[in-house]
Amino acid sequence: MKIYRSFLNDSKLKKIKYKGDKVVLDFDYCLMEIHRKIFDEYEFIIGNTYSKDFLSLIRKEDDFLMINNYVFSLDENFYNEFEIRKKINSKFKDFPFSTKKEAFESLKKSKIIDDVQFAKDTLNYFNNKNYGKNKIIKYLYDKHINKHIIEDLVFDEEKEMEKANNFYQEIVHKYNNLPEEKKLSKISNNLYRQGFERDVIETIIINN
C-alpha cells in the first residue's frame, strides 16, 4: 500500500509497526510512516479513528522534522539561504510547497539559516586565504547574497594591504628569473586576479 502524504478521509488505525527510528501506521485507507520522535508525542491506539485534519497535522510535523534533520546534516559554513532552499526543494520534491516554505522560514527565524553570518564567515575564511576585497564581494554576489548584507561588511584597508603583501611573498619567487618589467607585470596580474584593488597593488609593488 502506498505511503500517503495527504488524507481525504478519517481513518481507523489497524496496526503499528516499528522500523528503527521510524514507525509505520497502518490505517483503513493508507499507510503513514513517521519518525519515532513524532509518534511518541501523540497517543496512537489501535482501533481508534483519527480525523484527516489530525493525520495531515502529523504528516506536516514529520515533514518539518525531516527537513530540519537534513539542514542540520549540512555544513552551514558552506551553504547560504539560496543554496539551502534549492537543496530542500530538490531533496523533498513530493513535499507540499507550503510545508517547505514554512520549515525554511522557521530555520531562518531561529538563525539556523543566516546569510548575514554566512557572509561574515566567508569574509573571515577568504581573509585567512589572502583573497582581496573584490574577489570576496564577487563570490558573495555569485552566491546570491543580498546586496545590503554585502555592503555592510567591513573591509579594513590595513588588512587588505597585509593580505596583498602576504600573497606577494607567496608568489614572487616564481618570477625571479624574469626581466624586471615582466616580473612586475606578472605579479600585478596575479594580485588583481586575487581580488585586490589597483591602488593596493601599486602600493605593494612600490614597497617591495
Side-chain angles (χ1 to χ4, degrees):
M1 191 179 288
K2 180 181 178 182
I3 301 290
Y4 275 70
R5 309 205 60 79
S6 61
F7 309 93
L8 301 176
N9 302 292
D10 298 348
S11 197
K12 181 184 288 186
L13 181 59
K14 298 189 301 181
K15 191 186 301 182
I16 298 173
K17 183 179 179 181
Y18 298 92
K19 291 172 52 181
D21 67 339
K22 303 281 184 67
V23 178
V24 177
L25 304 176
D26 187 348
F27 291 97
D28 283 338
Y29 303 108
C30 64
L31 293 177
M32 176 191 274
E33 183 177 84
I34 60 175
H35 285 78
R36 183 67 180 265
K37 179 180 179 181
I38 301 297
F39 175 82
D40 289 343
E41 290 178 6
Y42 295 89
E43 187 177 358
F44 287 96
I45 300 174
I46 293 175
N48 279 8
T49 297
Y50 296 89
S51 72
K52 61 181 181 180
D53 291 339
F54 175 76
L55 296 179
S56 295
L57 173 65
I58 298 302
R59 175 76 281 148
K60 184 175 181 178
E61 287 192 18
D62 196 68
D63 288 350
F64 265 52
L65 180 61
M66 290 179 68
I67 293 171
N68 283 357
N69 288 345
Y70 175 69
V71 171
F72 276 113
S73 74
L74 301 174
D75 188 336
E76 68 276 8
N77 291 324
F78 293 94
Y79 295 106
N80 61 355
E81 289 181 16
F82 176 84
E83 292 168 323
I84 293 176
R85 189 193 300 274
K86 190 174 179 180
K87 283 181 170 292
I88 288 173
N89 287 333
S90 175
K91 177 78 172 178
F92 305 103
K93 292 178 181 177
D94 58 338
F95 283 25
F97 175 77
S98 59
T99 297
K100 291 184 283 189
K101 183 179 179 181
E102 282 186 48
F104 183 83
E105 292 302 326
S106 176
L107 288 164
K108 276 186 65 177
K109 188 175 181 180
S110 61
K111 299 296 184 181
I112 302 302
I113 302 173
D114 185 356
D115 269 5
V116 172
Q117 190 59 50
F118 176 87
K120 290 177 180 177
D121 291 342
T122 298
L123 175 60
N124 290 333
Y125 177 82
F126 276 72
N127 278 343
N128 290 334
K129 297 292 183 179
N130 293 322
Y131 282 100
K133 174 183 176 180
N134 292 339
K135 187 84 168 185
I136 298 170
I137 290 175
K138 182 180 184 306
Y139 177 85
L140 291 171
Y141 274 119
D142 288 345
K143 290 288 185 179
H144 302 271
I145 301 300
N146 184 280
K147 176 183 177 182
H148 299 298
I149 293 175
I150 297 173
E151 289 176 347
D152 284 342
L153 291 175
V154 176
F155 290 91
D156 181 71
E157 185 176 334
E158 188 175 329
K159 182 67 176 177
E160 287 297 296
M161 288 293 181
E162 178 189 332
K163 292 185 297 179
N165 189 63
N166 288 342
F167 185 68
Y168 174 92
Q169 300 302 330
E170 289 175 18
I171 65 170
V172 64
H173 69 278
K174 298 178 183 179
Y175 309 110
N176 283 336
N177 294 329
L178 295 177
E180 188 66 14
E181 186 176 342
K182 192 170 184 179
K183 171 185 173 181
L184 294 179
S185 176
K186 289 280 189 181
I187 292 172
S188 295
N189 288 337
N190 273 271
L191 284 163
Y192 183 75
R193 285 195 296 272
Q194 192 74 358
F196 294 105
E197 296 182 322
R198 289 296 185 188
D199 59 334
V200 173
I201 296 171
E202 289 173 7
T203 300
I204 293 301
I205 296 295
I206 291 170
N207 291 340
N208 283 278

